[in-house]
């Protein structure tokens, strides 16, 4: 079960037009490049580095990426977060970086719907699917791809570039597949991997 | 992955994926080109681990090509040969007879050619040629030595076995004797009594750190005792499985056929038929001056109350009887009492009914919405009574459970012994509406009595230390 947040005063969260509940104590950088699909929960001390983008248009201060080559498309958004996704206290979301022709290049980071990210996680994945549960203190390494319906155990370190197949349970350092989620994964509200509407409702109200 | 590839290569990825033999993290293809500008396009390439910094350089492996990594690795593993083009029997092998080959006599047999893989391949081709020589008409055998059940001729042969008629040339009466392998080219390897001496010497000199762990050895095709011999392994492929009931063979789970899809064609999950159980502490009201219940340290030796909620997924009213052992099993006997073990849960409502009906009143009585209201104010001063339901909603009922934890003796407790789990026996009884289930043959009696009983375990938390609880 995702931990129930303690009831908090209404003013602790900013609710956006699309129903996202963003803690006033969260640190969001480059907000114009962060896309929240709606009804996401962002807890205090969460840090989202929307400012780490592939190519900075004529802004020498923000990035060292080589902007002239034009081999990859320019991404308007660097971080995408799906509906009813919950980012636990103190988690860090950084778009993954890689070396490309001797320069650091950032790729977009995408997180799906009904994703639970536990407390103090570090996420540098290329993408995380829907109905994914990431346990407390887990690290999802650069360019990792986590498919739909995956459970990442507490404290796991998903190594750089790992692709986690749908329905897996991964754990350990480095993480490896240690099992499969149950057949009912994602079907039930309030359970790991399940619908997160109630969790969203219970935050900040 | 096509089935033919899996049959020949095994259930491992045959693309460019490899796992680190040291730590199992995926390996990345990276360039060793000294010019950073050219690294994206030109080699030489190596496979390297981003987690533990191992790379194929430790095996002395470099690749000219970025693509077809799997074939390149297979080639290296088979001593420069691709997997299926094995060297034909050489003149030496014929002339050498049964004499065991030794390093000095066979300079062209490289160390890698002497791998178990190579030995197995020659073994297999030898015995399948023996089989086909002694029984040339056997269509069940494929050239690779496997059995071929899918060809029409083999089907005809199987049929002839049953009908008793002879088939093809099989009944010639001639059956030549099969012989065993006799030399190196046929896969024969004579065990050299001194062959382990080198390994034993290495174990002595190189010590623990250079020795591969059991897990590392298990990940390899051919276990090696030394870290230096570990090779990158392609990852195992994932399978989709259907599941059937073990009693009546009814299909319970059937994933969609499409490779990319993660959806199910059939998914019958028990939670659609049995109540969902949730368990949370009934915090004492502030006036009693008792400390709030911490699920990570439930106070021992005094009663703590919990709310047990059962939510009904069925569209019929269900009568529930709960039972639990007076003392939870295990080394420590925690006392558990369900204050109201017999109660009813209201029926679930179709989402359509809910949407079409009075939405407002339905919403306010929804599971979490109400329990929160009760949480905020209703709890103070209320006392749980035996035999009475604590709270009831449309399709859920909450009863109070009282637990008196035993004191955990710290010095002899093993790992996770302080975990409090309560076994609960659930018996449910309801009258199923046959009309709604679409079985209208039972016109006279529209309802059918049903009964279901099972054991389940409710995880609560951990029992606190005695000293810590008394000071707080
Ligand atoms: Zn490694
Ligand atoms: Zn059955």
């Amino acid at each position: 079960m995702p931990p129930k947040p303690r009831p908090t005063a209404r003013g602790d969260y900013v609710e956006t037009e699309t129903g996202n509940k963003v803690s006033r104590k969260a640190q969001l950088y480059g907000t114009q490049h962060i896309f929240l699909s709606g009804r996401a929960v962002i807890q205090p001390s969460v840090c989202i580095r929307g400012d780490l983008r592939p190519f900075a248009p004529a802004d020498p201060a923000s990035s060292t990426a080589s902007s002239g080559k034009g081999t990859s498309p320019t991404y308007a958004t660097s971080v995408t977060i799906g509906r009813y996704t919950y980012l636990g206290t103190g988690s860090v979301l950084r778009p993954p970086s890689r070396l490309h022709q001797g320069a650091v290049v950032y790729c977009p980071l995408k997180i799906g719907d009904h994703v639970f990210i536990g407390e103090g996680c570090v996420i540098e994945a290329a993408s995380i699917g829907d109905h994914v549960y990431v346990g407390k203190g887990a690290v999802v390494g650069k360019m990792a791809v986590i498919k739909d319906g995956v459970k990442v155990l507490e404290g796991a370190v998903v190594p750089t570039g790992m692709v986690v197949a749908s329905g897996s349970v991964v754990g350990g350092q480095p993480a490896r597949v240690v099992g499969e989620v149950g057949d009912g994964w994602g079907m039930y509200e309030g359970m790991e991997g399940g619908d997160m509407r109630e969790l969203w409702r219970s935050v900040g109200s | 992955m096509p089935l033919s590839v899996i049959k020949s290569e095994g259930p491992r990825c045959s693309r460019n994926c490899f796992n680190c033999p040291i730590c199992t993290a995926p390996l990345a293809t990276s360039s060793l080109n000294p010019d950073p500008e050219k690294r994206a396009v030109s080699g030489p390439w190596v496979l390297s681990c981003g987690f533990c910094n191992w790379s194929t350089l430790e095996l002395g492996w470099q690749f000219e090509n970025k693509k077809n990594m799997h074939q390149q690795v297979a080639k290296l593993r088979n001593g420069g040969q691709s997997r299926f083009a094995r060297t034909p029997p050489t003149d030496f092998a014929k002339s050498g007879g049964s004499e065991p080959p030794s390093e000095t006599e066979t300079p062209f047999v490289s160390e890698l050619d002497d791998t178990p893989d190579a030995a197995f391949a020659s073994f297999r081709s030898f015995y399948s040629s023996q089989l086909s020589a002694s029984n040339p008409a056997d269509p069940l055998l494929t050239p690779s030595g496997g059995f071929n059940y899918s060809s029409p001729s083999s089907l005809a042969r199987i049929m002839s076995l049953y009908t008793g008629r002879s088939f093809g040339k099989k009944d010639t009466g001639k059956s030549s004797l099969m012989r065993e392998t006799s030399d190196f080219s046929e896969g024969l390897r004579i065990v050299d009594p001194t062959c382990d001496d080198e390994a034993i010497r290495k174990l002595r000199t190189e010590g623990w750190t250079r020795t591969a762990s059991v897990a590392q050895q298990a990940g390899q095709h051919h276990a090696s005792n030394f870290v230096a011999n570990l090779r990158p392994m392609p990852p195992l492929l994932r399978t989709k499985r259907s599941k059937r009931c073990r009693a009546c063979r009814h299909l319970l789970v059937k994933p969609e056929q499409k490779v990319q899809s993660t959806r199910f064609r059939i998914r019958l999950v028990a939670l659609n038929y049995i109540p969902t159980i949730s368990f949370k502490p009934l915090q004492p009201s502030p006036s009693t001056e008792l400390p709030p219940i911490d699920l990570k340290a439930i106070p021992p030796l005094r009663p703590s109350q919990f709310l047990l909620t059962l939510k009904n997924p069925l569209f019929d009213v269900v009568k529930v009887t709960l039972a639990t052992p007076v003392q939870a099993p295990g080394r420590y006997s925690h006392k558990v009492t369900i204050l109201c073990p017999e109660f009813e849960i209201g029926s679930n409502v179709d989402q359509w009914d809910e949407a079409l009906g009075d939405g407002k009143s339905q919403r306010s009585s929804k599971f979490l919405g109400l329990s929160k209201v009760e949480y905020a104010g209703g709890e103070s001063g209320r006392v749980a009574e035996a035999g009475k339901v604590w709270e009831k909603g449309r399709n859920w009922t909450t009863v109070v459970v009282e637990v008196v934890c035993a004191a955990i003796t710290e010095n002899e407790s093993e790992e996770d012994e302080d975990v409090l789990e309560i076994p609960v026996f659930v018996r449910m009884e309801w009258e199923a509406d046959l009309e709604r289930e679409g079985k209208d043959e039972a016109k006279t009696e529209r309802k059918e009595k049903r009964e279901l009983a099972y054991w389940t375990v409710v995880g609560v938390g951990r029992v606190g230390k005695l000293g810590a609880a008394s000071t707080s």
Side-chain angles (χ1 to χ4, degrees):
Chain A
M1 271 246 185
K4 292 255 160 58
R6 236 175 248 123
T8 39
R10 193 166 282 276
D12 286 355
Y13 292 88
V14 180
E15 192 163 338
T16 68
E17 244 173 76
T18 48
N20 301 296
K21 294 176 179 176
V22 182
S23 166
R24 288 188 194 279
K25 288 176 189 153
Q27 303 167 44
L28 273 58
Y29 298 95
T31 41
Q32 66 272 35
H33 307 300
I34 300 172
F35 181 74
L36 303 175
S37 312
R39 305 207 163 183
V41 176
I42 297 174
Q43 290 288 36
S45 313
V46 166
C47 174
I48 304 179
R49 295 295 303 270
D51 55 325
L52 303 177
R53 288 187 309 128
F55 297 104
D59 186 3
S62 69
S63 172
T64 52
S66 47
S67 52
K69 302 242 159 67
T71 42
S72 329
T74 307
Y75 303 100
T77 50
S78 51
V79 179
T80 309
I81 291 165
R83 286 174 72 77
Y84 295 106
T85 281
Y86 178 100
L87 307 179
T89 307
S91 287
V92 178
L93 271 63
R94 283 165 55 93
S97 66
R98 62 188 175 95
L99 277 170
H100 178 72
Q101 297 179 347
V104 176
V105 179
Y106 289 98
C107 298
L109 161 58
K110 265 187 194 151
I111 296 181
D113 301 340
H114 298 282
V115 173
F116 180 88
I117 308 276
E119 266 175 49
C121 291
V122 178
I123 310 290
E124 292 186 88
S127 78
I128 292 179
D130 300 338
H131 293 283
V132 171
Y133 181 93
V134 182
K136 199 170 154 183
V139 175
V140 180
K142 284 171 189 168
M143 298 305 287
V145 174
I146 295 183
K147 301 282 178 81
D148 296 346
V150 167
K151 178 173 180 175
V152 179
L153 297 179
E154 244 178 54
V157 177
V158 178
T160 303
M162 186 179 184
V163 178
V164 181
S166 184
S168 314
V169 178
V170 293
Q173 300 167 357
R176 53 199 82 169
V177 177
V178 294
E180 281 176 40
V181 300
D183 291 312
W185 183 266
M187 286 171 79
Y188 300 101
E189 202 157 314
M191 290 194 188
E192 282 176 6
D195 195 292
M196 307 233 297
R197 270 167 244 233
E198 286 299 350
L199 186 59
W200 171 80
R201 243 170 250 152
S202 65
V203 168
S205 55
Chain B
M1 261 314 128
L3 196 63
S4 57
V5 174
I6 291 165
K7 271 186 177 159
S8 64
E9 302 276 320
R12 289 184 182 265
C13 179
S14 58
R15 293 187 191 151
N16 292 331
C17 318
F18 283 96
N19 284 349
C20 175
I22 308 296
C23 74
T24 72
L27 297 175
T29 312
S30 48
S31 172
L32 289 180
N33 200 300
D35 185 354
E37 288 283 308
K38 285 182 190 160
R39 271 190 197 153
V41 285
S42 60
W45 306 91
V46 289
L47 292 169
S48 62
C49 174
F51 193 84
C52 72
N53 284 332
W54 182 91
S55 87
T56 49
L57 278 178
E58 315 212 355
L59 290 167
W61 289 6
Q62 286 187 28
F63 307 91
E64 307 97 72
N65 206 332
K66 198 181 178 180
K67 285 174 188 137
N68 286 330
M69 234 3 137
H70 188 82
Q71 275 153 359
Q72 293 186 70
V73 169
K75 233 180 191 175
L76 281 165
R77 196 158 36 205
N78 291 325
Q81 300 292 329
S82 84
R83 197 168 180 154
F84 297 110
R86 296 233 47 81
T87 33
T90 52
D91 289 338
F92 156 76
K94 275 171 189 155
S95 63
S98 60
E99 207 177 313
S102 65
E103 291 290 313
T104 47
E105 277 176 331
T106 57
F108 60 91
V109 177
S110 71
E111 196 189 323
L112 280 163
D113 202 31
D114 200 12
T115 58
D117 266 347
F120 179 72
S122 8
F123 246 140
R124 188 151 105 162
S125 66
F126 171 76
Y127 278 112
S128 58
S129 71
Q130 285 274 297
L131 273 176
S132 57
S134 68
N135 194 2
D138 197 339
L140 280 179
L141 283 168
T142 57
S144 61
F147 285 98
N148 177 14
Y149 293 112
S150 54
S151 86
S153 65
S154 59
L155 198 70
R157 165 132 195 277
I158 291 167
M159 290 312 289
S160 77
L161 284 176
Y162 289 106
T163 53
R165 276 186 293 138
S166 64
F167 178 82
K169 290 183 222 156
K170 209 205 149 214
D171 266 2
T172 47
K174 178 196 117 195
S175 77
S176 58
L177 275 175
M178 280 172 63
R179 66 178 179 92
E180 302 296 331
T181 55
S182 62
D183 64 28
F184 186 85
S185 70
E186 288 169 357
L188 183 72
R189 301 288 185 273
I190 306 285
V191 177
D192 177 6
T194 61
C195 68
D196 285 337
D197 292 358
E198 169 72 6
I200 292 165
R201 192 191 57 76
K202 251 173 137 180
L203 280 175
R204 284 217 184 98
T205 53
E206 302 195 347
W208 179 252
T209 47
R210 304 263 180 106
T211 312
S213 72
V214 174
Q216 285 167 350
Q217 290 185 35
Q220 297 283 304
H221 266 315
H222 306 293
S224 169
N225 293 323
F226 301 102
V227 170
N229 295 343
L230 297 175
R231 277 98 191 266
M233 286 303 294
L236 287 165
L237 297 171
R238 282 297 298 264
T239 50
K240 285 185 175 184
R241 294 191 306 273
S242 300
K243 290 175 190 166
R244 286 177 189 274
C245 171
R246 75 173 168 193
C248 71
R249 312 286 300 150
H250 191 86
L251 258 179
L252 299 177
V253 176
K254 191 179 166 74
E256 278 188 2
Q257 203 100 56
K258 238 173 68 191
V259 175
Q260 302 297 327
S261 170
T262 56
R263 275 183 282 206
F264 293 84
R265 281 173 64 193
I266 300 169
R267 184 154 69 153
L268 298 170
V269 178
L271 275 176
N272 287 340
Y273 304 92
I274 60 169
T276 316
I277 296 177
S278 59
F279 204 79
K280 63 180 178 190
L282 171 60
Q283 299 296 4
S285 64
S287 57
T288 58
E289 285 177 13
L290 284 167
I293 299 169
D294 179 7
L295 288 180
K296 282 177 188 143
I298 302 160
L301 299 179
R302 64 182 174 81
S304 309
Q305 291 190 329
F306 295 89
L307 296 174
L308 177 70
T309 303
L310 273 78
K311 194 176 170 192
N312 183 13
L314 298 170
F315 299 108
D316 305 293
V317 177
V318 173
K319 247 182 80 182
V320 178
T321 312
L322 299 178
T324 170
V326 180
Q327 303 200 318
R331 236 157 64 98
Y332 298 98
S333 41
H334 310 295
K335 262 181 77 182
V336 181
T337 319
I338 299 173
L339 294 191
C340 177
E342 266 189 65
F343 52 89
E344 268 189 1
I345 328 176
S347 65
N348 197 1
V349 174
D350 218 306
Q351 285 190 349
W352 276 108
D353 292 355
E354 192 177 14
L356 296 171
D358 186 7
K360 250 185 193 162
S361 65
Q362 299 280 15
R363 189 138 289 270
S364 65
S365 74
K366 268 203 95 174
F367 181 46
L368 264 141
L370 210 151
S371 61
K372 207 184 305 131
V373 171
E374 163 241 312
Y375 229 83
E379 234 168 270
S380 55
R382 235 190 109 182
V383 179
E385 281 176 81
K388 284 208 173 143
V389 161
W390 176 262
E391 195 90 37
K392 207 171 148 92
R394 192 190 66 228
N395 68 331
W396 56 267
T397 300
T398 300
V399 294
V400 175
V401 178
E402 198 171 275
V403 181
V404 183
C405 294
I408 305 274
T409 39
E410 205 178 321
N411 45 359
E412 51 185 309
S413 70
E414 286 166 30
E415 197 190 1
D416 285 349
E417 247 189 353
D418 54 345
V419 169
L420 174 61
E421 287 176 325
I422 304 173
V424 180
F425 184 72
V426 183
R427 184 174 170 278
M428 47 194 283
E429 222 179 46
W430 72 103
E431 291 200 321
D433 194 336
L434 293 175
E435 202 178 9
R436 193 183 43 240
E437 289 182 5
K439 293 176 187 160
D440 23 46
E441 74 267 22
K443 276 267 152 59
T444 47
E445 221 178 314
R446 289 224 166 136
K447 301 236 169 190
E448 186 187 79
K449 247 201 168 150
R450 285 190 188 166
E451 201 189 314
L452 190 69
Y454 57 94
W455 278 100
T456 181
V457 175
V458 178
V460 182
R462 285 177 191 275
V463 180
K465 304 255 157 49
L466 193 57
S470 57
T471 50
S472 67

